[in-house]
């Protein structure tokens, strides 16, 4: 144990040195020239270590430090240098990565009694890829057969496994792919890319041959995954299953209502979730107010949702991170795909540019909603459209270098049907330029420059009012597979943010809205995460994330007194005028036993520096204004404790998980009554910061294999808010306080060509503030409110079903096409998203109106508003492979 | 014909599928407080018998508000005290015992003594800008009728105002109910509920109707009160509606409503194209 610790410490020191010298690691190995006479051994070793970027390990009894020798070599490689050194010192050496171990010579060479033979350690590393497309496989398993040893490929398909030299049999596996056994006699570090074949199973793709250990290690409660295949099986809405709806079926994630892209993770606010696509943030991930997700499902390769135990490399959000990795594109053959639906159409092209080296993946989607126009009401001339363009290019520069470029352009538009003029338009733009570099078999680097923006524009008379958020970031991180037991990840990130809360443009003389100065902020992050396998059963994952947030000029801001009245105006030139530094620990301890049981305890603290200003309780979110933490608003912080248990019932092939959590958050934004958010220079005077506490339990049973597969989940959760100055300073139920929620997903392969799917969800209704009395003013009936969120909407129930028919008889045919018929809300349940108290009773086929003529006494009626009762859709999908 | 059919199909499809529906509900209201005093006091710079309406909050949505008839109230300003007395013909309505006009530069203090409690409020006269030209347009769906062109700006950084339109076509039809009162507002704040507000009851009137327009100048506080009333009533229920909260009040001691003093401009016209 002691020697093990020593080794570990030594490796950690080595790793630290590697971190310091990482910059130099990028370069080519340089030629070594040393010409020294009578140089001491220790000094010579230091010299070679410096020149060769290596470290020496040796027993002091083996090498006499006082011994002097002559050493002369010119423009030599490291190997030549080490060979000469070994000869001079009469020792053997072994190089493992950057480590050079000096050893006594063998019996044959010296005639001494040989020391007990100890096997050296070698590293097997490489990429795991799809054989047909060349697509790298994320989280695929590399296991040493007959043992519990193994690793997963990282987000770029890279794996590294260190083990004693000798012959070993490895099992490479991935869900939906044939398992591959490979026996290798490893005597030195070996790089080997593995190509896996997809399992030949008729549609829909299902998981087969799932190794037990793989399932246990990957399926951790709190960190859910959603595969494109799972998404593809979901019943569709208007031609697409949608990422957001898929996410909402996962334990711990609650939707607002129909038409909402926003969701709530474990009691957090909707702005406490962040969607990352190849690391670039998507700030508003919805189309058509939430019915469609902005991510075209074909584009996604893997979707991971972190709700607790969020890695130190990700952040800074209080509740969840949704990390989406996109497909690289087929490196071998061209593919063309698409779908047609009455509401939207899309086309996808995968094209190898240089076979096995470079490919592009591009997809375009456009809504057809504009064709249907507006309702026959002269008051309403608006029509709606959206479109998306996603593009990815990758190029393998060499075996060790690969670059990627991702671009997403996402746009929504409401325009005047008669004039064609834009009324409101909003959209996201995100782009990533990435460089992957395999520095050594054990060290993988990922360097990224990315940007993400969200903007909305509103046309007001002759002016354009716009609000924008954008960021430009640089990030570099390293994954170091120190040994089979220790893996670390560390890196730095620099981000610059630009926020325009609201601005009028076009004609400054008509600028009748107040001008608010823009915000310039920056963030620097340093993180370190280590995964340490203490024993075969016990794993410790610990990380630290240091973030430094700065508010920079130029900026005009206001200071407020205790009554939120402005007391001073401050004009800042360039430079930093406010700063927050925070260190957030993340730790989890995972214990596995009998290969079928796993329990995990985790704690994490999270800071968030950007929040959405929105006091809307509508499911539709377009006018999101982002507010940075600043001198008036401290950054929100939360701490989450979670305990999860996972069990795999082998006979029934069922996965069962239970999770409990408690989350406490401070500095959460709330709003003074009647807050004006749009274009308000003194918005900070209307904001209040309070506390939020949430707790809950989640239960999931999942069957991933077989003709009949799917999952069932039940969640119990509560969320309370408390903010000084609101609700008489008393705690109140949050909007997302919905104690009960169940979800059931069932997929059934009726035959080789026909698949059925069903999705059922029910949950408690959202809370809302209902009037407790009314008063009359100017003959208008004005509601009076009491306790905040004193009432609850009716429970939500929905069942979606789908029927999928593959039209081509042979699954292997180059041209594949299918029809999918879906019914959204097949039971036609009226899912109420609002209750109103301001409408006149209307005739059938007429929307209730608000009264306008106040001279006549007209009775008002409470009304319930629901959005979608029953929505059929028929989609034709096709794919052509060259 | 084809176009009409298409419109009908799209409308039915939209109503049935996409838009769902807004339906009448028997949503109960659970009062959690005793009825509170509501003050509706809008005094102007016109020399007249000024009026103040007092009532109580109602527990149900269509309940007729209970008038408050036994209060004592007066308005004081610049050393003058103007008493108000209950109008027996209109329960809850109080009229000043003498005519007076609210004047500039003075703080007007309202004092109400009711049910053993004193309610107070104060206000200073707000000025009013020029009355804009008013236009009428053919009504939607019925070109023989008119509607008011909504050219009154929703937003202005320079002035805040309330427009009261009293439209009377009862003399043409002989039906006393053929009258309408409609309010328009110009505010210096732009609320999210103003974007795509819910559909409003259409107001249509024949050519030749008598229209009296009154423009009230608003100070910031009264404008915030009226804006909150609109957010809670006429603008409530748009696509992006905000969370609900009670409207503010400048009446002390838990009173509701508002005491305001406004400059007024008025114009009478005959509606025509």
């Amino acid at each position: 144990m002691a020697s093990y610790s020593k080794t570990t410490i030594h490796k950690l020191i080595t790793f630290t040195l590697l971190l310091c010298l990482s910059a130099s690691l990028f370069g080519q190995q340089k030629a070594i020239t040393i010409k020294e006479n009578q140089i001491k051994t220790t000094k010579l070793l230091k010299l070679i270590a410096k020149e060769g970027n290596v470290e020496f390990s040796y027993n002091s009894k083996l090498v006499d430090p006082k011994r002097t020798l002559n050493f002369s070599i010119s423009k030599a490689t490291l190997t030549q240098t080490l060979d000469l050194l070994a000869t001079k010192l009469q020792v053997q050496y072994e190089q493992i990565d950057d480590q050079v171990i000096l050893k006594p010579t063998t019996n044959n060479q010296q005639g001494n009694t040989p020391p007990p033979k100890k096997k050296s350690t070698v590293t097997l590393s490489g990429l795991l890829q799809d054989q047909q497309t060349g697509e790298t496989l994320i989280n695929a398993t590399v296991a040493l057969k007959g043992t519990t040893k193994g690793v997963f490929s990282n987000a770029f398909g890279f794996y590294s496994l260190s083990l004693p030299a000798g012959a070993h049999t490895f099992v490479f596996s991935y869900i939906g792919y044939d398992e591959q056994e490979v026996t290798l006699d490893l005597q030195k570090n070996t790089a080997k890319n593995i190509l896996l074949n997809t399992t030949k199973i008729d549609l829909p793709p299902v998981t087969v041959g799932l190794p037990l250990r793989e399932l246990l290690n990957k399926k951790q409660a709190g960190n859910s995954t959603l595969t494109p295949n799972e998404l593809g099986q979901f019943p569709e809405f208007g031609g697409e299953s949608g990422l957001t709806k898929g996410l909402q079926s996962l334990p711990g994630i609650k939707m607002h209502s129909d038409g909402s892209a926003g969701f709530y993770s474990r009691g957090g606010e909707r702005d406490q979730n962040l969607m990352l696509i190849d690391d670039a943030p998507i700030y508003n991930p919805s189309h058509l107010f939430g019915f469609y997700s902005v991510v075209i499902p074909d584009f996604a390769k893997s979707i991971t949702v972190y709700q607790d135990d969020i890695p130190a490399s990700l952040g800074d959000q209080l509740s969840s991170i949704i990390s989406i990795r996109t497909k690289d594109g087929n490196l071998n053959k061209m593919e063309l795909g698409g779908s047609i639906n009455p509401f939207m159409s899309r086309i996808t092209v995968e094209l190898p540019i240089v076979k096995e080296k470079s490919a592009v993946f591009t997809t375009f989607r456009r809504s057809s909603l504009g064709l249907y126009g507006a309702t026959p009401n002269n008051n309403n001339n608006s029509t709606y459209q959206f479109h998306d363009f996603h593009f990815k290019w990758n190029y393998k520069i060499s075996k060790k270098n690969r670059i990627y470029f991702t671009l997403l352009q996402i746009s929504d538009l409401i325009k005047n049907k008669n004039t064609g003029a834009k009324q409101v338009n909003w959209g996201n733009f995100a782009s990533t330029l990435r460089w992957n570099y395999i520095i050594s078999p054990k060290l993988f680097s990922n360097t990224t420059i990315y940007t993400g923006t969200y903007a909305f524009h509103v046309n007001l008379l002759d002016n354009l009012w716009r609000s924008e958020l954008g960021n430009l970031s640089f990030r570099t991180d390293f994954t170091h597979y120190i040994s089979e037991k220790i893996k670390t990840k560390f890196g730095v990130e620099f981000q610059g943010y630009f926020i325009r809360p609201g601005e009028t443009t076009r004609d400054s003389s008509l600028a009748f809205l107040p001008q608010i100065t823009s915000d310039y902020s920056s963030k620097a992050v340093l993180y370190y995460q280590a995964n340490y396998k203490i024993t075969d059963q016990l794993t410790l994952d610990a990380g630290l994330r240091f973030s430094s947030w700065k508010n920079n000029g130029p900026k005009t801001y206001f200071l407020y007194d205790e009554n939120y009245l402005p007391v001073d105006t401050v004009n800042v030139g360039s430079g930093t005028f406010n700063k927050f530094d925070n260190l957030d620990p993340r730790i989890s301890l995972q214990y596995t036993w009998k290969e079928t049981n796993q329990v995990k305890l985790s704690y994490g603290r999270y800071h968030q520096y950007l929040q959405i200003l929105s006091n809307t309780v509508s499911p539709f979110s377009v006018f999101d204004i982002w507010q940075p933490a600043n001198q008036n608003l401290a950054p929100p912080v939360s701490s989450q404790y979670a305990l999860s248990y996972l069990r795999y019932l082998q006979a029934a092939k069922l996965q069962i998980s239970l999770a409990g959590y408690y989350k406490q958050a401070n500095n959460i934004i709330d709003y003074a009554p009647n807050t004006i958010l749009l274009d308000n220079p003194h918005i900070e005077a209307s904001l209040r910061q309070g506390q939020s506490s949430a707790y809950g339990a989640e239960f999931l049973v999942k069957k991933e294999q077989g003709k009949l597969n799917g999952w069932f989940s039940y969640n119990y959760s509560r969320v309370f808010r408390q903010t000084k100055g609101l609700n008489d300073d008393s705690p109140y139920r949050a909007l997302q306080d919905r104690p009960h929620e169940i979800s059931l997903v069932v997929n059934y392969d009726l035959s080789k060509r026909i698949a059925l799917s069903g999705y059922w969800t029910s949950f408690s209704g959202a809370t809302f503030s209902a009037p407790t009395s009314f008063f009359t003013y100017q003959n208008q009936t004005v509601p009076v409110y009491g306790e905040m969120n004193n009432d609850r909407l009716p429970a939500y129930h929905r069942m979606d079903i789908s029927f999928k028919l593959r039209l081509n008889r042979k699954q292997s045919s180059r041209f594949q096409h299918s029809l999918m018929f879906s019914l959204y809300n097949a039971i036609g349940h009226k899912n109420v998203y609002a209750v109103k108290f301001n409408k006149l009773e209307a005739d059938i086929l007429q929307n209730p109106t608000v009264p306008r003529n106040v001279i006549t006494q007209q009775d008002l009626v409470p009304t319930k508003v629901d959005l979608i009762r029953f929505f059929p859709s028929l989609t034709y999908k096709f794919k052509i492979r060259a | 014909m084809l176009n009409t059919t298409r419109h009908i199909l799209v409308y039915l499809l939209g109503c049935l599928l996409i838009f769902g529906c807004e339906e009448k509900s028997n949503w109960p209201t659970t009062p959690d407080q005793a009825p509170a005093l509501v003050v509706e006091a809008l005094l102007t710079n016109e020399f007249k018998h000024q009026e103040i309406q007092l009532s109580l909050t109602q527990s149900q949505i269509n309940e007729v508000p209970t008038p408050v008839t036994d209060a004592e109230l007066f308005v004081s300003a610049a050393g003058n005290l103007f008493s108000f007395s209950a109008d027996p013909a209109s329960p809850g309505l109080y009229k000043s015992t003498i005519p007076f006009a609210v004047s500039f530069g003075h703080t007007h203090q309202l004092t109400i003594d009711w049910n053993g409690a004193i309610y107070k409020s104060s206000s200073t006269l707000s000025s009013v800008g020029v009355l804009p030209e008013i236009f009428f347009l053919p009504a939607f769906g019925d070109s023989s009728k008119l509607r008011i062109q909504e050219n009154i700006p929703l937003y202005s950084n320079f002035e805040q105002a309330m427009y009261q339109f009293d439209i009377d076509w009862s003399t043409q039809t002989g039906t006393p109910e053929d009258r309408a009162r409609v309010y328009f507002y110009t505010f210096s704040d732009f609320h999210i509920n103003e974007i795509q507000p819910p559909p409003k009851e259409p107001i249509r009137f024949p050519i030749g109707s008598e229209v009296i327009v009154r423009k009230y100048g608003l100070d910031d506080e009264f404008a915030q009160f009226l804006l909150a009333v609109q957010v809670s009533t006429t603008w409530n229920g748009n696509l992006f509606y905000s969370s609900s909260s009670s409207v503010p009040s400048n009446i002390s001691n838990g009173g509701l409503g508002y005491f305001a003093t406004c400059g007024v401009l008025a114009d009478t016209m005959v509606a025509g194209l």
Side-chain angles (χ1 to χ4, degrees), chain A residues 515-539:
Chain A
Q515 300 296 307
I516 306 169
T517 54
S518 300
D519 288 294
Y520 302 90
S521 309
S522 59
K523 186 168 76 173
V525 176
L526 190 65
Y527 55 85
Y528 178 89
Q529 179 103 20
N531 179 281
Y532 176 39
K533 208 170 173 181
I534 301 167
T535 66
D536 275 353
Q537 284 79 36
L538 194 61
T539 304

Side-chain angles (χ1 to χ4, degrees), chain A residues 16-79:
Chain A
T16 310
L17 287 170
L18 275 171
L19 173 62
C20 300
L21 297 169
S22 58
S24 62
L25 287 171
F26 291 108
Q28 296 287 323
Q29 198 175 58
K30 64 180 183 180
I32 298 171
T33 300
I34 299 172
K35 289 182 180 174
E36 297 284 349
N37 290 323
Q38 296 300 306
I39 183 171
K40 280 189 175 177
T41 318
T42 48
K43 196 176 173 184
L44 176 63
L45 290 176
K46 281 182 185 173
L47 200 57
I48 296 172
K50 187 182 172 188
E51 293 293 314
N53 279 332
V54 292
E55 286 285 317
F56 284 98
S57 296
Y58 55 89
N59 188 323
S60 58
K61 289 177 183 173
L62 180 70
V63 179
D64 181 4
K66 294 178 182 173
R67 182 181 166 189
T68 58
L69 67 161
N70 297 331
F71 196 91
S72 178
I73 199 162
S74 178
K75 295 179 180 175
T77 63
L78 178 63
T79 308

Side-chain angles (χ1 to χ4, degrees), chain A residues 777-782 836-841 847-861 863, chain B residues 22 61-62 180-183 185 198-203 229-230 232-236:
Chain A
Y777 188 88
Q778 290 179 341
N779 276 344
Q780 295 179 91
T781 303
V782 183
K836 296 292 160 194
F837 298 85
N838 62 335
K839 300 285 168 53
L840 298 169
E841 196 168 357
N847 279 326
T849 56
V850 293
R852 202 147 179 232
N853 182 1
V854 299
I855 212 165
T856 54
Q857 186 65 40
Q858 303 181 86
D859 278 357
L860 300 178
V861 289
T863 52
Chain B
E22 185 166 9
I61 190 166
N62 290 315
R181 174 172 287 178
V182 185
Y183 288 101
Y185 302 91
K200 289 177 279 193
E201 173 194 12
I203 304 292
V229 168
Q230 293 309 298
S232 296
T233 58
T234 314
W235 297 341
N236 194 348

Side-chain angles (χ1 to χ4, degrees), chain A residues 524-598:
Chain A
V525 176
L526 190 65
Y527 55 85
Y528 178 89
Q529 179 103 20
N531 179 281
Y532 176 39
K533 208 170 173 181
I534 301 167
T535 66
D536 275 353
Q537 284 79 36
L538 194 61
T539 304
L540 174 71
D541 216 323
L544 274 176
R545 183 178 177 89
F546 171 76
S547 54
S548 179
W549 176 265
K550 290 176 180 175
N551 300 103
N552 304 314
K555 175 75 181 168
T556 299
Y557 67 86
F558 305 97
L559 297 176
Y560 302 92
D561 64 13
E562 63 277 11
N563 297 316
Y564 303 100
L565 296 171
V567 292
D568 199 5
T569 304
V570 182
N571 291 300
V572 183
S574 58
T576 300
F577 62 88
N578 186 61
K579 186 181 174 190
F580 298 103
D581 291 332
N582 290 298
L583 188 64
D584 292 334
R586 320 268 167 97
I587 188 164
S588 74
L589 199 59
Q590 182 179 304
Y591 184 72
T592 307
W593 71 100
K594 291 183 182 175
E595 288 205 337
T596 54
N597 295 268
Q598 180 198 89

Side-chain angles (χ1 to χ4, degrees), chain A residues 65-104:
Chain A
K66 294 178 182 173
R67 182 181 166 189
T68 58
L69 67 161
N70 297 331
F71 196 91
S72 178
I73 199 162
S74 178
K75 295 179 180 175
T77 63
L78 178 63
T79 308
Q80 290 167 327
T81 310
L82 292 174
D83 286 344
L84 180 62
L85 179 74
T87 308
K88 294 265 182 186
L89 294 178
Q90 292 187 310
V91 295
Q92 284 191 109
Y93 74 90
E94 183 185 356
Q95 186 185 356
I96 302 170
D97 299 335
D98 311 300
Q99 191 74 20
V100 178
I101 303 160
L102 301 183
K103 301 173 178 179

Side-chain angles (χ1 to χ4, degrees), chain A residues 16 24 26 121 186-187 275 318 430 447 460 529 627 660 827 881:
Chain A
T16 310
S24 62
F26 291 108
T121 302
L186 300 176
Q187 295 303 328
M275 184 176 287
L318 299 194
T447 303
L460 296 168
Q529 179 103 20
Q627 172 72 40
I827 55 173
R881 190 170 284 172

Side-chain angles (χ1 to χ4, degrees), chain A residues 50-287:
Chain A
K50 187 182 172 188
E51 293 293 314
N53 279 332
V54 292
E55 286 285 317
F56 284 98
S57 296
Y58 55 89
N59 188 323
S60 58
K61 289 177 183 173
L62 180 70
V63 179
D64 181 4
K66 294 178 182 173
R67 182 181 166 189
T68 58
L69 67 161
N70 297 331
F71 196 91
S72 178
I73 199 162
S74 178
K75 295 179 180 175
T77 63
L78 178 63
T79 308
Q80 290 167 327
T81 310
L82 292 174
D83 286 344
L84 180 62
L85 179 74
T87 308
K88 294 265 182 186
L89 294 178
Q90 292 187 310
V91 295
Q92 284 191 109
Y93 74 90
E94 183 185 356
Q95 186 185 356
I96 302 170
D97 299 335
D98 311 300
Q99 191 74 20
V100 178
I101 303 160
L102 301 183
K103 301 173 178 179
T105 50
T106 61
N107 194 30
N108 291 342
Q109 290 166 298
Q110 285 200 325
N112 299 330
T113 308
K117 197 171 181 180
K118 190 181 173 184
K119 282 187 174 178
S120 59
T121 302
V122 293
T123 301
L124 176 68
S125 62
L127 295 173
L128 279 158
Q129 292 171 287
D130 181 299
Q131 189 170 41
Q132 289 178 316
T133 64
E135 193 79 40
T136 53
L137 304 175
I138 299 171
N139 252 352
T141 305
V142 182
L144 195 58
K145 192 178 180 183
T147 71
T148 58
K149 290 179 180 174
V151 290
F152 301 120
S153 57
N154 70 6
F156 309 98
F158 179 76
Y159 73 92
S160 172
L161 179 63
S162 294
L163 66 174
H168 300 282
T169 301
F170 300 92
V171 180
F172 299 90
S173 61
Y174 190 59
I175 296 170
Y177 286 77
D178 289 336
E179 203 172 272
Q180 198 177 118
E181 260 188 41
V182 178
T183 300
L184 297 168
D185 185 12
L186 300 176
Q187 295 303 328
K188 58 179 182 178
N189 293 338
T190 305
K192 188 165 184 62
N193 293 345
I194 299 294
L195 302 172
L196 294 182
N197 241 329
T198 47
T199 305
K200 299 296 181 200
I201 283 187
D202 279 350
L203 99 179
V206 292
T207 56
V208 293
L210 194 65
L212 185 60
R213 185 139 194 104
E214 176 178 5
L215 185 132
L216 260 184
N217 283 332
K218 278 191 211 165
K219 307 287 178 184
Q220 296 181 5
N223 296 344
S224 314
T225 56
L226 201 57
T227 64
N229 283 342
E230 285 172 329
L231 266 185
Q233 290 177 64
F234 258 80
E236 298 181 337
F237 172 85
E240 266 185 17
S241 47
L243 175 63
T244 311
K245 284 196 283 295
L247 290 175
Q248 288 162 350
S249 72
L250 298 176
I253 292 183
K254 293 181 190 300
M255 65 186 287
H256 183 296
S257 61
D258 286 327
S260 170
F263 58 88
Y264 304 92
S265 167
R266 289 190 171 176
E269 300 297 315
R270 72 178 172 93
D271 66 350
Q272 293 173 6
N273 311 305
L274 183 63
M275 184 176 287
L276 302 173
I277 297 184
D278 286 346
D279 291 330
I282 300 291
Y283 293 107
N284 189 329
S286 70
H287 280 309

